[in-house]
Amino acid sequence: MKKFLACVLILAVFTGAVFYIGWTQFRVKPDTIGIVVSKTSGVNEKPVLNGEFAWHWQFLLPSNATLKTFQIKPVSVQKTINGTLPSGEAYASIYGAQGLFDYSFTFDILLTVSPEAVVELMQLNKVTDDTDLTAYLEGAASTLAQKAANYILTRAEGNPSFRTESLKREEILRGIQIYKDFPEIDVSVFAITSSKLPDYNMYKKISNMQPDELNPAEKYEKSEKIEKSELAEMPEVL
């Protein structure tokens, strides 16, 4: 009887130890997720969520598996895109219109990803830890801000009455095709907080001018030299 009880006790301890080693749920804190990565199975397809039971046999093998934890919370980023239209600086210098062909846009962007999306990013080797995930989202925000700036400039170039403040979040996201480049990212905020459009009307007028019309100062100097040479060649009047 004593041997039987001892065997039951040993079995219970062994079972408890096995259960505890493979139990991964308790390692995940609130507002975070865990992803099991092992030498035998690679990146586990199902994320470990706080409050949801999870047990993985991969941890039973010594040094075989690790639990990568990620904070699942929105990342708030502010991005400013500015620049000058092609040859804009030269045109502005010639006509004394500094800043007339410059543009600037500031965006407030709020991004997040689902636990399943983090698993996919790990499988694609785009992120390996929480720091990588934050950097990835910030990089995505930079790309989206640049695409949004290009979209706004295209709209403004073809429509003289265009106003940046008339754009809505859905229209911008649709115009830059966010879900084509970043299908795993959810953009809850994409707001234009400040903007400056270039003067496309003046830019088009200048860019359509003939080469000899582009520098009024040089044209004036040429005409002055011609007048002086003509006066020099005139005979003296007695």
Side-chain angles (χ1 to χ4, degrees):
M1 185 66 179
K2 291 182 179 180
K3 291 183 179 181
F4 174 75
L5 292 175
C7 290
V8 171
L9 180 60
I10 293 172
L11 181 61
V13 172
F14 176 77
T15 303
V18 169
F19 175 81
Y20 181 79
I21 293 172
W23 188 26
T24 50
Q25 171 202 348
F26 79 97
R27 308 182 197 181
V28 179
K29 299 178 181 179
D31 298 325
T32 64
I33 67 165
I35 298 177
V36 176
V37 182
S38 66
K39 298 176 183 177
T40 52
S41 306
V43 179
N44 195 283
E45 294 183 355
K46 187 177 180 180
V48 181
L49 307 179
N50 178 267
E52 184 177 307
F53 177 75
W55 188 88
H56 295 83
W57 64 265
Q58 291 89 341
F59 286 97
L60 300 179
L61 302 176
S63 69
N64 175 56
T66 57
L67 182 68
K68 297 284 188 176
T69 58
F70 296 85
Q71 291 188 354
I72 298 299
K73 62 179 182 179
V75 173
S76 180
V77 183
Q78 186 177 84
K79 294 293 181 180
T80 297
I81 305 296
N82 48 45
T84 305
L85 296 178
S87 302
E89 291 183 0
Y91 294 162
S93 177
I94 292 171
Y95 285 89
Q98 279 70 21
L100 196 62
F101 309 121
D102 296 344
Y103 58 84
S104 178
F105 309 103
T106 298
F107 304 96
D108 277 346
I109 307 173
L110 193 65
L111 308 172
T112 189
V113 289
S114 67
E116 291 75 18
V118 179
V119 173
E120 183 179 351
L121 290 173
M122 284 202 69
Q123 291 174 333
L124 295 173
N125 294 320
K126 292 184 177 181
V127 301
T128 57
D129 53 31
D130 202 43
T131 302
D132 284 349
L133 180 60
T134 300
Y136 177 79
L137 292 175
E138 291 181 351
S142 297
T143 300
L144 295 176
Q146 184 63 65
K147 285 179 174 289
N150 295 340
Y151 173 72
I152 293 171
L153 290 173
T154 301
R155 291 285 303 275
E157 182 179 11
N159 183 6
S161 61
F162 174 80
R163 295 293 179 270
T164 308
E165 56 269 20
S166 66
L167 286 175
K168 304 299 182 183
R169 165 185 168 275
E170 293 76 13
E171 186 177 359
I172 297 175
L173 296 181
R174 185 169 58 251
I176 64 179
Q177 298 181 329
I178 174 179
Y179 299 111
K180 179 179 179 182
D181 297 320
F182 301 100
E184 70 282 355
I185 294 178
D186 179 44
V187 181
S188 53
V189 175
F190 202 105
I192 305 171
T193 57
S194 66
S195 65
K196 178 185 181 299
L197 290 171
D199 189 333
Y200 273 108
N201 289 331
M202 181 61 70
Y203 181 79
K204 290 177 181 178
K205 289 180 181 178
I206 296 176
S207 60
N208 289 331
M209 287 181 177
Q210 297 298 320
D212 60 344
E213 298 178 301
L214 287 178
N215 197 329
E218 288 185 1
K219 188 176 181 181
Y220 173 78
E221 290 177 0
K222 285 182 179 180
S223 62
E224 191 177 40
K225 288 179 180 179
I226 292 173
E227 289 179 1
K228 288 182 177 179
S229 63
E230 288 178 348
L231 289 173
E233 293 175 359
M234 290 179 62
E236 295 184 2
V237 180
L238 298 175

